[in-house]
Amino acid sequence: MSRTSVVYVDTSALGALIIAQPETEALVEWLDQADATLVSCDLLETELRRMAVREGRDQAKVSAILDGVSLAALDRATYRSAGILPMSYLRTLDALHLEAAIRLDADAILTYDHRLAQAAVATGLVVVAPGQESAR
């Protein structure tokens, strides 16, 4: 990406910074090298903080991660639009993430969630998943 791109991040991606996953090292490298503005919605904060509570991790780490992401509030229209996305396989919270990415005019979505990735591709978004075998 030659210009600074807008990349929507979901919990499956940034959660790998809280709980080590096979992709964590590749993700950290990508985040260090990417010329991207990271965006998400307030849902990301709730999901990451709940993950930290469940796993007994420090909330300060979540705060540090979130410092690198611009968070947007979701309005009623976003919830409505997410509810009627045509992908029957898409779960509720993933539908909210996808609709937020669309509304934030993201160029790409950083996710390790296969259903969300499939739906993102269907809407024309580029999927970024550092450390995954297959490129999307």
Side-chain angles (χ1 to χ4, degrees):
M1 298 179 205
S2 58
R3 67 174 176 84
T4 300
S5 58
V6 175
V7 177
Y8 187 93
V9 295
D10 84 329
T11 310
S12 70
L14 294 190
L17 300 176
I18 295 172
I19 301 167
Q21 304 291 318
E23 300 84 13
T24 299
E25 187 176 324
L27 172 63
V28 169
E29 185 176 317
W30 185 89
L31 289 169
D32 286 345
Q33 295 177 2
D35 184 17
T37 299
L38 302 181
V39 299
S40 195
C41 66
D42 289 333
L43 178 58
L44 175 69
E45 179 170 9
T46 302
E47 289 182 312
L48 287 178
R49 292 200 182 280
R50 292 305 309 154
M51 179 185 291
V53 167
R54 283 191 312 271
E55 298 296 324
R57 304 298 163 90
D58 189 348
Q59 290 292 329
K61 182 163 186 155
V62 176
S63 295
I65 292 167
L66 291 171
D67 281 345
V69 182
S70 295
L71 296 178
L74 300 180
D75 61 10
R76 184 165 172 76
T78 304
Y79 284 94
R80 183 179 306 114
S81 296
I84 59 174
L85 284 170
M87 302 86 170
S88 61
Y89 54 86
L90 198 58
R91 295 172 296 189
T92 302
L93 297 180
D94 293 332
L96 285 167
H97 279 301
L98 180 58
E99 186 63 27
I102 293 166
R103 288 175 179 265
L104 291 170
D105 201 26
D107 299 305
I109 187 165
L110 175 60
T111 185
Y112 292 110
D113 182 287
H114 298 292
R115 285 179 275 202
L116 179 54
Q118 181 181 357
V121 168
T123 65
L125 283 168
V126 172
V127 174
V128 178
Q132 293 279 303
E133 293 296 324
S134 61
R136 294 184 196 115

